[in-house]
Amino acid sequence: MINPMDLSGKRYIVTGASSGLGRQVCVTLSQLGANVTAIARREDRLKETLSLMEKGEHDYYFYDLSEVDGIESFVNSAVSKNGKYDGAVHCAGIGTLMPVAMSKYSFMKEIMDINFFSFVEMARVLSKKKNSNDEASFVAVSSAASEFTDKCKLGYTSSKGALDSAVKAMAVELGASRKMRFNTVNPGWIRTEMYNMIVEQTGAEHAEKTLSTHVLGITEPVEVANTIAFLLSSMSSKITGQNIFVDSGWTINSNND
Amino acid sequence: MPSQGMPKSLRKPQNYAITQKFRGGGGTKCYPCDLSNIDTIENLVKDIVQENGKLDGLVHCAGITATKPLSSNTYDFLDEMMRINVYSFIELVKHLSKKKNCNQNTSIVAVSSAASIRGDKAKSAYCMSKGALDSACQAMAAELGPEKRIRVNTVNPGWINTQMYSDYVKNVGQEYADATILDRQFLGVAEPYEVANVIAFLLSDASSQITGQSIVVDGGRTIW
């Protein structure tokens, strides 16, 4: 038997590593043999993530990605310590709900900084030849909300739509010479803290209604992490610039409100 | 046995012999069938299940292509294209998805094409058939997902290094082929295994929440 999703000896940066999907991505990648540089803001929770991972040459940084200007020096120091990377997974993201009337520039900027600009800056620096190997693969966690939006999701939807487009532009420009690939995964509702928070804000009834349109039920973090591992691996060597919907059939189902 | 109506490549008996060589650990069996005879598909599925037990999925790779200007399109030509590329697949899914014929978490994959999202001259029949596959998969995913937990997806390749590609190169010349294909499909012409890997992913539990999707495997061809 072969395991075409094997990531032995590869090295990736994973952002948003202290909770939810990011934590699961760290665990899954370590199980596939990868070395992970985990990034998050919360120290105690980040250490907990490390304790759940299979052994490997992992390391971690506490970093607030909304400090976009500092990402370059942070990536450079990670490369000088660990050598070249094989890609990155951007799981960091916030989903604050806000009506249009209250979505001021400062709010929009905050959500775009963490969800979008930090990924672009990280990919910009990491994709340089001195920082990454040929055939490096980058995955940004977008959302099915980039196609199926909802009230009070102007900021969130915009940031995810920007990711969907950005991977195409990066794929076209950086794909030909060094065979680097850029894709997003677009999950529906995942059983994470963000899900619990949204249920709290919108009420159980609204949540139940939304979930009833997920034809295979709510998604577990590991199910998205598996797709991310697939996109990092050579198994997806001809997939680039794509938005892969891991949404339990949410957006293909016409029985939506 | 092969009959007159079969696609050219499958009409050759030696191709059966080649396929039969790939007897892996799980066991591979060949069932000759002319998919353009839709009425025979019910019995085909019946025979397969009777001999092997319930199935865990299906990959529909059969397909024909043709370059034909719109002015020479005929209903019969469109009908043949649709029968092999689409109707046979729908009929296979119809029977396979019965409870007595498949296990829980069955996964179904149809090989569509990047041609479903970008048109080309003299390809209206082919593009139509692949677009039909993409849409049918969404509807079947919505219908078969909730209770039966059957997933239905397509892979949509760009150019693959197969007979279809070498025929194209022979027709237009390597230089023209490189200029028209590699410029846009910047990750190169896909080897068949690179598409097969994506199909294997979609069959596996690793893609357990992906359904109704068309996964484009085209080396960047249609993103710009």
Side-chain angles (χ1 to χ4, degrees):
Chain A
M1 286 276 278
I2 51 165
N3 177 8
M5 259 163 75
D6 183 38
L7 299 174
S8 294
K10 305 277 187 186
R11 178 172 287 281
Y12 301 98
I13 290 178
V14 179
T15 70
S18 64
S19 62
L21 181 57
R23 170 175 285 175
Q24 182 61 52
V25 169
C26 289
V27 171
T28 298
L29 297 194
S30 73
Q31 288 169 343
L32 289 165
N35 303 311
V36 175
T37 295
I39 299 166
R41 275 178 299 185
R42 290 173 287 185
E43 179 170 2
D44 51 329
R45 305 222 27 183
L46 189 48
K47 283 180 176 162
E48 205 182 313
T49 298
L50 265 290
S51 73
L52 295 168
M53 291 163 68
E54 294 281 322
K55 283 199 170 54
E57 292 167 25
H58 312 306
D59 60 349
Y60 57 91
Y61 292 85
F62 313 117
Y63 193 83
D64 183 349
L65 288 169
S66 62
E67 307 287 335
V68 179
D69 286 337
I71 291 176
E72 178 158 21
S73 64
F74 147 73
V75 170
N76 284 338
S77 73
V79 172
S80 62
K81 183 180 159 217
N82 297 314
K84 289 184 180 184
Y85 280 76
D86 296 288
V89 184
H90 182 57
C91 301
I94 52 175
T96 318
L97 300 176
M98 192 71 74
V100 173
M102 292 164 72
S103 296
K104 289 183 183 171
Y105 173 63
S106 58
F107 167 75
M108 292 297 284
K109 189 172 174 310
E110 184 195 357
I111 212 165
M112 289 298 278
D113 276 346
I114 295 172
N115 292 11
F116 177 65
F117 289 128
S118 67
F119 169 71
V120 171
E121 180 67 2
M122 183 176 63
R124 179 185 78 80
V125 178
L126 198 61
S127 62
K128 290 181 179 175
K129 202 165 181 177
K130 64 179 171 72
N131 294 336
S132 56
N133 293 313
D134 288 357
E135 298 180 18
S137 176
F138 295 78
V139 179
V141 177
S142 176
S143 167
S146 68
E147 278 201 9
F148 265 37
T149 191
D150 205 346
K151 287 170 198 162
C152 302
K153 283 198 175 175
L154 169 64
Y156 187 68
T157 297
S158 304
S159 69
K160 298 305 189 179
L163 284 175
D164 289 1
S165 296
V167 292
K168 294 181 193 295
M170 290 178 177
V172 164
E173 190 171 324
L174 301 173
S177 56
R178 293 183 47 218
K179 306 293 175 213
M180 286 187 288
R181 299 183 295 112
F182 299 82
N183 295 285
T184 66
V185 290
N186 298 50
W189 282 35
I190 318 174
R191 204 190 300 278
T192 60
E193 283 157 33
M194 200 188 276
Y195 166 71
N196 295 334
M197 191 191 78
I198 302 280
V199 172
E200 223 166 82
Q201 287 182 20
T202 61
E205 199 181 325
H206 181 269
E208 211 169 281
K209 206 172 165 194
T210 306
L211 266 189
S212 70
T213 60
H214 283 51
V215 301
L216 302 170
I218 191 169
T219 304
E220 297 296 334
V222 69
E223 297 179 288
V224 182
N226 281 336
T227 303
I228 291 169
F230 162 74
L231 287 171
L232 294 177
S233 78
S234 63
M235 213 176 170
S236 60
S237 47
K238 285 292 187 287
I239 299 182
T240 195
Q242 298 300 321
N243 310 131
I244 307 294
F245 280 68
V246 191
D247 67 351
S248 183
W250 184 24
T251 54
I252 55 98
N253 183 357
S254 67
N255 299 318
N256 280 294
D257 45 45
Chain B
M1 283 313 288
S3 75
Q4 280 297 310
M6 285 190 110
K8 233 184 275 170
S9 61
L10 288 188
R11 282 187 205 129
K12 297 175 193 154
Q14 66 267 32
N15 285 4
Y16 287 112
I18 292 165
T19 309
Q20 271 171 333
K21 271 190 198 162
F22 291 102
R23 285 176 185 273
T28 309
K29 281 186 194 166
C30 284
Y31 292 84
C33 174
D34 179 353
L35 288 174
S36 64
N37 290 336
I38 304 292
D39 293 343
T40 63
I41 289 175
E42 180 168 10
N43 279 333
L44 172 74
V45 173
K46 213 173 172 182
D47 289 349
I48 293 172
V49 173
Q50 221 155 47
E51 286 178 37
N52 305 286
K54 286 187 184 184
L55 297 172
D56 295 291
L58 158 73
V59 184
H60 181 62
C61 302
I64 54 173
T65 186
T67 306
K68 207 188 257 291
L70 196 55
S71 56
S72 36
N73 258 326
T74 60
Y75 170 77
D76 285 345
F77 166 68
L78 295 177
D79 187 51
E80 191 198 1
M81 182 77 80
M82 289 299 280
R83 253 189 298 154
I84 293 169
N85 291 9
V86 185
Y87 300 158
S88 67
F89 173 65
I90 308 276
E91 186 73 7
L92 278 162
V93 177
K94 174 181 158 186
H95 296 294
L96 177 70
S97 61
K98 287 176 186 164
K99 221 173 169 179
K100 62 177 166 100
N101 291 336
C102 69
N103 292 314
Q104 275 275 311
N105 300 322
T106 279
S107 176
I108 293 166
V109 180
V111 178
S112 177
S113 167
S116 72
I117 36 179
R118 291 282 194 280
D120 200 357
K121 281 177 251 173
K123 288 277 185 197
S124 50
Y126 185 67
C127 292
M128 167 188 73
S129 73
K130 296 306 189 179
L133 275 180
D134 292 359
S135 296
C137 278
Q138 295 194 356
M140 292 192 286
E143 186 170 334
L144 299 174
E147 274 152 40
K148 296 186 167 176
R149 304 199 65 78
I150 296 173
R151 298 184 294 115
V152 191
N153 294 287
T154 69
V155 290
N156 298 48
W159 281 100
I160 314 175
N161 191 10
T162 60
Q163 190 67 40
M164 236 185 240
Y165 172 67
S166 35
D167 286 349
Y168 178 75
V169 172
K170 216 182 282 168
N171 282 340
V172 302
Q174 189 70 51
E175 205 176 316
Y176 183 82
D178 286 353
T180 50
I181 293 174
L182 293 181
D183 181 43
R184 299 203 70 77
Q185 193 165 326
F186 51 80
L187 293 183
V189 173
E191 290 303 324
Y193 78 84
E194 294 181 290
V195 180
N197 275 339
V198 179
I199 294 171
F201 167 72
L202 288 172
L203 292 177
S204 78
D205 284 344
S207 62
S208 48
Q209 290 281 300
I210 300 181
T211 195
Q213 297 302 318
S214 294
I215 308 294
V216 178
V217 190
D218 70 350
R221 186 174 176 81
T222 57
I223 60 168
W224 62 319

